[in-house]
């Protein structure tokens, strides 16, 4: 299927883009109007765009239904300050409830059962239940259009972060496993970040990986190793050599059983290397593959 966005209705554009640009983190924005009335609403058109200066952007869109603007946008135009509260799994149903289109004077802290906690540098209150809160100054608001569905970039400078101590490890560093972020996908779909779906990807940013083109042909054209496997192998800084001290019982067995059938041996070696790569054992996988190349 090929889609030309100009031929789609706004709701269709929204449908495809929101399912595809996913998962998106959720900014839970607390704002006030010039009378001090409080608003609290979630926005998944949100991300980090700069660390120095520390800039995050979220986007309250013009309502598709009637092309009006959201209370959050009205508020930041009146009082250019916001507290961005990070949404975790423990809060998600309350956060969703707060997204109901309550009248402007209604405080969603009350409606969704959250507790106001005074911020230290800005007027909007923080959400006590959120484990990470960012006090921000709105430095620019950039409308992206005038029709229903048009986003409005609320460009925010983060002034101060409040991080719950329960998220820190012994070295006072954030423990990613403890944050339990949620993220929004298409429609009503969300995902939860927890230990079972977190993984590391080693990315050396000082040394260059040798690249796919430097892999021996038998490895590069493997019917068993995947793109991810080849990328792990191609991420080494220089072509590895056979290490005579490398000992591995499984490798010995493969050599013993399959030495009369080179084609089968290659398959077995590649399968074993794939298993090692799955366990993050890149050096060992290289030794297994070098035996045959
Ligand atoms: C998880 C979640 C993410 C949302 N993300 C956005 C968004 O990025 N932009 C937007 O305009 N509305 C978004 N909405 C809808 C707004 O939260 C909703 O329109 C809200 O009522 C706006 O409140 P306000 O008019 O009080 O500012 C989202 C809703 C939910 C539940």
């Amino acid at each position: 299927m090929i889609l030309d966005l100009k031929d789609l209705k706004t709701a269709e554009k929204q449908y495809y883009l929101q399912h595809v640009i996913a998962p998106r983190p959720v900014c839970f924005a607390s704002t006030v109007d010039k009378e001090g009335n409080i608003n609290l609403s979630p926005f998944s058109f949100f991300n980090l765009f700069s660390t120095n200066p520390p800039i995050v952007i979220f986007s309250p869109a013009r309502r598709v239904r009637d092309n009006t603007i959201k209370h959050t946008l009205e508020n930041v135009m009146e009082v250019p300050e916001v507290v961005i509260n990070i949404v975790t799994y423990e809060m998600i149903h309350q956060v969703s409830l707060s997204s109901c289109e309550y009248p402007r004077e209604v405080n969603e802290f009350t409606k969704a059962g959250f507790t106001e906690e005074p911020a230290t540098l800005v007027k909007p209150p923080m959400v006590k239940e959120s484990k990470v809160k960012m006090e921000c100054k709105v430095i620019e608001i950039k409308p992206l259009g005038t029709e229903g569905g048009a986003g409005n970039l609320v460009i925010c400078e983060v002034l101060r972060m409040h991080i719950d101590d329960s998220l820190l490890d012994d070295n006072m560093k954030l423990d990613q496993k403890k944050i339990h972020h949620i993220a929004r996908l298409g429609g009503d779909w969300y995902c939860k970040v927890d230990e079972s779906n977190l993984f590391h990807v080693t990315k050396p940013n000082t040394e260059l990986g040798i690249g796919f083109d430097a892999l021996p042909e038998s490895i590069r054209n493997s019917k068993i190793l995947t793109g991810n496997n080849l990328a792990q192998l191609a991420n080494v800084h220089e072509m590895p050599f056979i290490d005579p001290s490398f000992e591995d019982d499984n490798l010995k067995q493969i050599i013993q059983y399959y030495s009369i059938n080179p084609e089968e041996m290659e398959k077995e070696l590649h399968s074993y290397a794939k298993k090692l790569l799955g366990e993050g054992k890149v050096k060992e996988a290289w030794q297994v593959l070098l035996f045959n190349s």
Side-chain angles (χ1 to χ4, degrees), residues 18 24-27 29 31 39-46 58-63 69-75 87 92 95-104 106 108 150-151 182-184 190:
Q18 291 192 354
R24 301 179 302 280
V26 177
C27 146
T31 55
N39 192 284
L40 182 64
S41 299
F43 297 96
S44 70
F45 293 179
F46 166 57
F58 69 96
S59 174
R62 300 184 77 91
R63 293 191 183 88
I69 63 168
K70 303 208 169 166
H71 304 143
T72 303
L73 181 61
E74 292 177 314
N75 284 0
V87 178
I92 185 54
V95 170
S96 179
L97 175 60
S98 75
S99 77
C100 292
E101 303 262 331
Y102 292 114
R104 183 149 190 215
V106 170
E108 288 88 357
I182 59 92
R184 186 122 198 237
Y190 287 81

Side-chain angles (χ1 to χ4, degrees), residues 13-248:
K13 288 186 219 182
Q14 188 169 325
Y15 173 88
Y16 288 110
L17 290 168
Q18 291 192 354
H19 278 74
V20 168
I21 317 294
R24 301 179 302 280
V26 177
C27 146
F28 199 23
S30 161
T31 55
V32 291
D33 66 14
K34 57 180 180 317
E35 273 83 45
N37 295 310
I38 295 167
N39 192 284
L40 182 64
S41 299
F43 297 96
S44 70
F45 293 179
F46 166 57
N47 225 306
L48 166 68
F49 289 88
S50 166
T51 46
N52 189 25
I55 303 294
V56 298
I57 301 180
F58 69 96
S59 174
R62 300 184 77 91
R63 293 191 183 88
V64 177
R65 192 176 60 242
D66 56 8
N67 196 15
T68 52
I69 63 168
K70 303 208 169 166
H71 304 143
T72 303
L73 181 61
E74 292 177 314
N75 284 0
V76 291
M77 290 193 294
E78 287 181 13
V79 179
E81 296 178 344
V82 56
V83 174
I84 295 182
N85 303 274
I86 292 300
V87 178
T88 56
Y89 184 69
E90 295 75 15
M91 304 158 63
I92 185 54
H93 287 279
Q94 282 175 276
V95 170
S96 179
L97 175 60
S98 75
S99 77
C100 292
E101 303 262 331
Y102 292 114
R104 183 149 190 215
E105 62 282 3
V106 170
N107 177 344
E108 288 88 357
F109 274 90
T110 314
K111 282 289 172 199
F114 285 113
T115 315
E116 291 172 23
E117 183 182 358
T120 56
L121 301 172
V122 297
K123 287 176 214 74
M126 308 191 288
V127 172
K128 189 162 193 279
E129 289 77 4
S130 171
K131 297 224 164 121
V132 184
K133 305 115 172 19
M134 295 179 286
E135 298 190 48
C136 306
K137 181 171 78 179
V138 174
I139 54 172
E140 191 184 336
I141 299 171
K142 180 158 178 39
L144 298 176
T146 53
E147 303 292 317
N152 294 278
L153 303 185
V154 180
I155 305 175
C156 309
E157 179 175 349
V158 181
L159 305 176
R160 181 171 283 171
M161 293 178 81
H162 301 254
I163 300 172
D164 195 286
D165 287 350
S166 68
L167 304 182
L168 303 175
D169 64 18
D170 296 342
N171 302 315
M172 300 296 277
K173 294 279 184 218
L174 275 166
D175 182 343
Q176 192 69 76
K177 298 188 288 299
K178 291 184 177 164
I179 304 186
H180 303 162
H181 279 106
I182 59 92
R184 186 122 198 237
L185 297 93
D188 291 342
W189 288 104
Y190 287 81
C191 66
K192 173 190 179 192
V193 177
D194 64 23
E195 223 171 328
S196 68
N197 53 35
L198 280 170
F199 60 93
H200 278 281
V201 175
T202 317
K203 177 78 194 99
N205 47 17
T206 46
E207 290 177 279
L208 300 177
I210 59 170
F212 271 47
D213 52 336
L215 293 172
E217 216 167 303
S218 62
I219 296 177
R220 200 168 64 224
N221 298 329
S222 169
K223 298 220 161 32
I224 288 161
L225 298 166
T226 65
N228 272 342
N229 296 148
L230 296 185
Q232 283 173 283
L233 295 166
N235 201 23
V236 294
H237 317 310
E238 51 189 31
M239 188 65 197
F241 294 104
I242 293 176
D243 174 1
S245 67
F246 180 71
E247 293 254 353
D248 185 294

